[in-house]
Amino acid sequence: MYTLFIERPELARSLRLTARVLSLASIGTILLFFIGEGFIPARVAAREWIGLLFFPCGVIAGMIIGWWREGLGGTVTLGSLVGFYLVYGLLLSGSITQGWAFIAFALPGFLFLLCALLDHHAGR
């Protein structure tokens, strides 16, 4: 698989473009949820703020960072996703199963990491 991307740099560019477009779509959708639901900070319990720092704040920050530093941005995005699942899953609800939609929102983070990995193997 690495050879395919190294020999055909247009595939790597397409993957990078896909990651960036999907990051814009994810960020926009997350923001629409907060605006559409009428986010009221006073209704958020103190212990839930930690989870909100991971998702959506950390996930969005990671996707923005990924535009300039793909490896770091992907790591921040996916680390924040894991942090969110741990905080909400283990500490707040007692169950790690919070649904798959959160993973879908973080998909650009996976793609940014893949871009960084391919660049590393291509020697860029």
Side-chain angles (χ1 to χ4, degrees):
M1 179 171 145
Y2 298 126
T3 309
L4 178 66
F5 281 92
I6 293 169
E7 293 173 359
R8 301 200 44 202
E10 67 273 3
L11 290 175
R13 280 192 300 273
S14 296
L15 181 64
R16 182 170 288 110
L17 179 63
T18 301
R20 289 178 175 186
V21 168
L22 287 177
S23 71
L24 291 175
S26 286
I27 291 168
T29 304
I30 291 168
L31 293 177
L32 283 174
F33 275 119
F34 273 85
I35 293 168
E37 292 292 319
F39 178 65
I40 302 170
R43 290 188 184 168
V44 178
R47 63 186 196 166
E48 292 174 335
W49 278 106
I50 297 169
L52 285 174
L53 287 176
F54 288 117
F55 189 96
C57 297
V59 170
I60 289 174
M63 285 189 270
I64 292 170
I65 294 167
W67 276 66
W68 292 275
R69 298 199 48 209
E70 293 160 343
L72 177 61
T75 302
V76 169
T77 299
L78 299 181
S80 295
L81 180 68
V82 169
F84 168 78
Y85 274 105
L86 289 175
V87 167
Y88 271 95
L90 297 178
L91 300 178
L92 297 178
S93 72
S95 170
I96 196 86
T97 57
Q98 293 297 312
W100 295 98
F102 300 106
I103 296 172
F105 283 117
L107 177 65
F110 290 100
L111 296 178
F112 281 131
L113 276 179
L114 182 57
C115 287
L117 180 69
L118 293 173
D119 279 351
H120 176 74
H121 284 289
R124 289 182 235 148

